[in-house]
């Protein structure tokens, strides 16, 4: 059970990242770094400082070839930029580029993951028309999503999108 404020996780997650790098466990190191970024956002840290940290985090994850966790950081960076009212299209361009790469490599997992993140951004900003169009265009991507959390989250977002579409019809 959670027994301390989220603020108390910031330093240990940074330490976990450093230890992971020291012992060569890049997966765990980058997971700690990504989680730390989300926690900074959740505790209300200044958006400018979160953006700078995310940009540095994404560079590290790119160097360490940690694409799965990098995708989550890109989604958060897109959200932060939209909240700040700057370069709101940059994240979309990155995700579109990743979709093009997935298509050229026939990588269904990458495509499904990026599509799931795009839907999450539409829902977060209550862009319901775009979300409905997107769900129809993407089709059933659930079969390509790894892990039950990601699949259930997509199912929830898809259901919410369809509910909003029905309410506005």
């Amino acid at each position: 059970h959670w027994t301390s404020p989220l603020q108390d996780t910031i330093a240990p997650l940074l330490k976990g990242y450093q230890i992971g790098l020291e012992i060569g466990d890049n997966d765990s190191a980058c997971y700690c770094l990504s989680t730390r970024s989300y926690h900074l956002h959740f505790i209300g840290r200044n958006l400018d400082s979160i953006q700078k940290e995310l940009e540095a985090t994404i560079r590290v994850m790119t160097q360490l070839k940690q694409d799965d966790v990098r995708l989550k950081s890109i989604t958060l960076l897109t959200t932060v930029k939209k909240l700040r009212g700057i370069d709101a299209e940059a994240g979309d361009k990155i995700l579109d580029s990743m979709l093009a790469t997935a298509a050229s490599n026939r990588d269904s997992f990458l495509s499904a993951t990026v599509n799931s993140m795009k839907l999450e951004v539409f829902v977060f900003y209550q862009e319901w028309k775009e979300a409905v169009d997107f769900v129809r265009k993407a089709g059933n991507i659930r079969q390509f999503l790894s892990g039950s959390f990601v699949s259930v989250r997509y199912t929830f977002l898809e259901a919410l999108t369809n509910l909003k579409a029905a309410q506005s019809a």
Side-chain angles (χ1 to χ4, degrees), residues 79-93:
T79 300
V80 168
K81 284 183 173 184
K82 282 189 175 189
L83 287 171
R84 293 188 68 212
I86 57 170
D87 203 13
E89 305 301 316
D92 296 336
K93 291 175 188 170

Side-chain angles (χ1 to χ4, degrees), residues 120-131 164:
E120 188 164 338
V121 171
F122 287 138
V123 170
F124 184 84
Y125 287 99
Q126 299 181 19
E127 296 171 348
W128 301 114
K129 182 185 177 331
E130 293 85 348
K164 289 295 187 177

Side-chain angles (χ1 to χ4, degrees), residues 94-105:
I94 292 169
L95 293 176
D96 289 342
S97 171
M98 294 173 94
L99 280 175
T101 300
S104 69
N105 294 335

Side-chain angles (χ1 to χ4, degrees), residues 37-75:
S37 296
Y38 272 88
H39 287 194
L40 289 171
H41 179 67
F42 295 151
I43 65 172
R45 183 71 57 92
N46 175 290
L47 291 175
D48 181 54
S49 69
I50 294 171
Q51 180 179 337
K52 288 175 183 169
E53 179 145 344
L54 280 166
E55 289 168 345
T57 294
I58 290 167
R59 283 191 298 275
V60 166
M61 291 176 182
T62 300
Q63 290 172 347
L64 297 174
K65 299 184 182 347
Q66 297 294 311
D67 293 334
D68 292 345
V69 73
R70 183 174 62 101
L71 286 173
K72 294 175 186 168
S73 296
I74 289 170
T75 302

Side-chain angles (χ1 to χ4, degrees), residues 12-33 64 66:
L13 285 167
L14 184 57
K15 181 78 170 161
Y17 163 71
Q18 293 165 340
I19 291 170
L21 287 181
E22 288 171 13
I23 65 172
D25 185 357
N26 293 343
D27 291 345
S28 296
C30 288
Y31 177 80
C32 286
L33 201 55
L64 297 174
Q66 297 294 311

Side-chain angles (χ1 to χ4, degrees), residues 95-122:
L95 293 176
D96 289 342
S97 171
M98 294 173 94
L99 280 175
T101 300
S104 69
N105 294 335
R106 297 185 177 170
D107 187 341
S108 300
F109 170 73
L110 177 59
S111 178
T113 302
V114 172
N115 279 326
S116 179
M117 291 176 173
K118 287 184 81 161
L119 179 59
E120 188 164 338
V121 171
F122 287 138

